[in-house]
Amino acid sequence: MMNFNYAKSFIISILIFILGCESNKNYSNNDPNIIIIYTDDLGYGDVSAYQKGTLKTPNIDKLANEGIRFNFGYASSATCSPSRYALLTGKYPWRKDGLRVITGGSLVIDTTEMTIPKLLKRKNYRTGIVGKWHLGLGSGDGVAGSGIIDYNSTISPGPNEVGFDYSHIMADTQDRVPTVYIENGDVVNLDPNDPIEVNFFHQKKHDDYGLPTGLKNPELTTMKWHHGHNGSIINGVPRIGYMKGGNNALWSDIDMADHFLQKAKEYIKRNKENPFFLFYTLQQPHVPRTPHPRFEGLSGMGPRGDVIIEADWAIGELYKTLESENLLDNTLIIFSSDNGPVLNDGYYDDAVEKLGDHTPKGGLRGGKYSLFEAGTRVPFISYWKGKIKPGISNEMISQIDLLNSISKLVGLDYRSKDGIDFLDLILNNKGKGREELILEASTRTAYRKGDWVMIPPYKGQSIAKNVNIELGNSLEFKLYNLKDDPSQKNDLSKIEDKKLKEMIKGFVKIRGKEFTNIKNLVLE
Ligand code: NG6
Ligand code: CA
């Protein structure tokens, strides 16, 4: 007969073994690390896995070729702030009144709203953001950009109040002041004796300080402004807005890629013992394009190409860190971009002149700011070493769907109203994608369903002259079939009357009654 104590310890060891295995299994299968790598203004055709051409992005290509490459992956919007809002909350950005590109404005995510990092906190994830934020800071009301944020004390609410327990960010964009990094609400390296003053409207006030601006002192700039961008000159680059003080805290533009990469690596190393979520939001290839000198000239396309090569390099370095920390088997990586491409976005930087035969739009029509496909259709990749099999998907998926898919991945029930759980598509390339989707560009919206896209009538310029992009504005409904006509050359609205009506109906059903004021909108 077995000795009682012996039997007891035997049973306990077996239990410990089972529990041990169980927790291990949970960690790797249900609570993997999740990294969303998010570029800024990178086009559908800028990634060489999407379009073989002169520009090479080997590190992004690795994720695309060894993971799932979505050919119909969408950002919610054709500009940055709305897309980021939608990605993090799983909600359509047009549900938020007037949500547009933020310039010094307050936080647009309500602290009561669900976000991906907030959701993951329920499963004890560590949650961090490193890079561009552009969702506003502080709770000041009044006109965005009128100096409502005080950068000299801890800024709140911000990323840390909507779910991130670590944030190391630039507030808006690289072309907007203040040109400083903010970590967990505090400006990094700020000397209290040299406080920061920012404003976006009062050039006169700034002139009174006797500080140089792009408008008055073009001789002091190393990068010339083309439109906008004639405020404070910092590191030779004229910016949007005016800034005084904070000299110790100013970032170095050419070191930005290295800086964010370093912070992202440190974050991974610090948190590797726990499941973690990292939102790594690169600043490239948004303007001003300031490659580190070691990337200068590598693309032969001027700074825009060079910073894409720089971003691709940084992604490769991040990958190496995951590899050397043995985290690859346990980490889901999603790669995408916040909106489509633009060449001249306000500086003379040779983006147009040196483009050669490279096509950032990858054959799509429009670009950043546009309701045509190139505005919102972006590179979209899922990668998980050893778990996701290489594949290509032609199913429609949006960044709005990431929150619900991630919720499913970690075994939570929360679902946002606008998003759809596409975990099976993201991990196994199985199942159907979206049937329909609302596309947004600077608060205008269009409707995608099946192979079709319908753009309602909008007043306003058809081409934004400064950036030379077709915005999708016209005084009539437009209808395109993307299967037969991927570059939206043939408007079928006059021929496919029944389809057009069906599309308008579907559109209004989601957009709601506030949309019945469109000129010419015919419901039946
Ligand atoms: C626009 C800027 C543009 C860019 C954009 C935001 C001007 C004339 N243009 O207002 O350069 O900064 O805002 O881009 O100032 S986004 O990718 O962050 O949405
Ligand atoms: Ca952007």
Side-chain angles (χ1 to χ4, degrees), residues 341 361 364-368 370 372-375 469-471 488:
K361 304 193 268 194
L364 307 179
R365 186 171 177 183
K368 183 177 178 177
S370 177
F372 287 120
E373 284 291 287
I469 286 174
E470 290 184 288
L471 296 174
Q488 298 176 292

Side-chain angles (χ1 to χ4, degrees), residues 26 75 136 196 217 224 226 231 257 278 285 296 304 377 406 427 442 464 468 474 514:
N26 271 343
I196 295 176
N217 310 91
K224 306 284 170 217
H226 175 271
L278 172 63
E296 255 176 53
R304 184 175 187 277
R377 195 160 6 132
I406 286 173
L427 296 185
S442 310
N468 193 22
S474 78
E514 77 249 45

Side-chain angles (χ1 to χ4, degrees), residues 97-296:
D97 238 7
L99 174 49
R100 301 176 79 115
V101 172
I102 292 168
T103 302
S106 55
L107 181 67
V108 292
I109 304 177
D110 195 281
T111 51
T112 59
E113 280 180 272
M114 183 51 82
T115 63
I116 292 176
K118 206 185 256 186
L119 190 71
L120 290 172
K121 297 293 296 171
R122 291 188 180 170
K123 294 292 301 271
N124 292 321
Y125 269 70
R126 299 286 160 80
T127 54
I129 172 166
V130 172
K132 171 174 172 170
W133 173 239
H134 213 184
L135 285 163
L137 292 170
S139 57
D141 43 358
V143 188
S146 57
I148 54 177
I149 303 168
D150 177 9
Y151 296 94
N152 303 298
S153 49
T154 303
I155 306 158
S156 173
N160 296 59
E161 285 67 41
V162 295
F164 289 102
D165 43 34
Y166 173 73
S167 63
H168 190 102
I169 56 166
M170 72 162 133
D172 287 347
T173 58
Q174 202 187 334
D175 54 356
R176 283 167 172 74
V177 296
T179 52
V180 296
Y181 297 121
I182 300 170
E183 183 166 277
N184 298 325
D186 292 319
V187 171
V188 179
N189 292 334
L190 180 67
D191 173 357
N193 296 317
D194 183 25
I196 295 176
E197 209 181 295
V198 162
N199 86 75
F200 291 92
F201 291 140
H202 312 294
Q203 198 197 322
K204 165 88 178 56
K205 190 169 161 195
H206 190 77
D207 285 346
D208 291 346
Y209 291 134
L211 292 166
T213 62
L215 192 65
K216 287 190 136 184
N217 310 91
E219 75 285 359
L220 298 179
T221 60
T222 52
M223 193 185 284
K224 306 284 170 217
W225 58 275
H226 175 271
H227 57 279
H229 305 98
N230 55 18
S232 287
I233 301 170
I234 294 150
N235 304 335
V237 181
R239 314 277 167 161
I240 298 175
Y242 308 98
M243 174 179 179
K244 179 180 182 280
N247 269 318
N248 259 346
L250 298 180
W251 68 45
S252 157
D253 289 276
I254 56 171
D255 292 319
M256 187 174 280
D258 288 321
H259 180 84
F260 284 142
L261 173 64
Q262 184 58 29
K263 294 293 162 194
K265 281 167 142 183
E266 285 167 12
Y267 175 81
I268 290 171
K269 288 181 184 169
R270 261 201 323 276
N271 293 291
K272 64 181 176 188
E273 304 300 335
N274 278 79
F276 65 80
F277 168 63
L278 172 63
F279 193 24
Y280 178 38
T281 51
L282 289 83
Q283 85 281 11
Q284 302 103 327
H286 195 286
V287 295
R289 294 147 184 153
T290 54
H292 188 274
R294 66 187 194 280
F295 295 98
E296 255 176 53

Side-chain angles (χ1 to χ4, degrees), residues 39-42 78-81 84 132 134 173 286 337-340 368:
T39 47
D40 194 358
D41 299 1
L42 189 74
T79 57
C80 177
S81 309
R84 283 159 207 259
K132 171 174 172 170
H134 213 184
T173 58
H286 195 286
S337 174
D338 67 343
N339 53 253
K368 183 177 178 177

